[in-house]
Amino acid sequence: MSRGKRVVKERKLYPGYLMVNLEFNDRMLYLFRETSGVGDFVGGSYNKPPPPMSDREVERLLNSQLGPQERTTQIDKAPFE
């Protein structure tokens, strides 16, 4: 509440994280590691590439970014029937 009015603020879902879809190779690894402000890949090590996100994780992430009317939800049976 601000001055008696309801205020809606957006929050970042994963602050400080960068989600990218790329072909992972040595050049991309060097580009990301040498970029100022970028720490490292989640789940990877110096000699091991990071694992890709599963399709389920990507779908959940994309659905969380959509508004309620845009989400794809399947309803088999309404609870009030």
Side-chain angles (χ1 to χ4, degrees):
M1 299 283 285
S2 176
R3 296 182 181 172
K5 294 183 180 180
R6 185 176 178 167
V7 178
V8 178
K9 292 185 179 181
E10 287 188 24
R11 290 187 341 177
K12 293 183 179 181
L13 188 59
Y14 297 106
Y17 286 85
L18 177 66
M19 308 292 180
V20 295
N21 182 13
L22 60 91
E23 184 177 326
F24 190 80
N25 57 35
D26 290 338
R27 185 173 180 209
M28 290 295 124
L29 178 64
Y30 177 79
L31 178 69
F32 276 92
R33 286 203 171 138
E34 295 301 315
T35 301
S36 137
V38 175
D40 207 348
F41 291 95
V42 174
S45 65
Y46 192 71
N47 294 325
K48 180 181 162 193
M53 292 175 69
S54 70
D55 291 337
R56 184 177 177 192
E57 290 173 319
V58 172
E59 187 68 30
R60 187 177 66 182
L61 179 68
L62 291 175
N63 279 337
S64 69
Q65 296 297 308
L66 299 174
Q69 66 278 10
E70 298 170 319
R71 291 189 182 136
T72 56
T73 320
Q74 292 183 356
I75 301 175
D76 294 332
K77 210 175 197 184
F80 47 84
E81 287 184 0

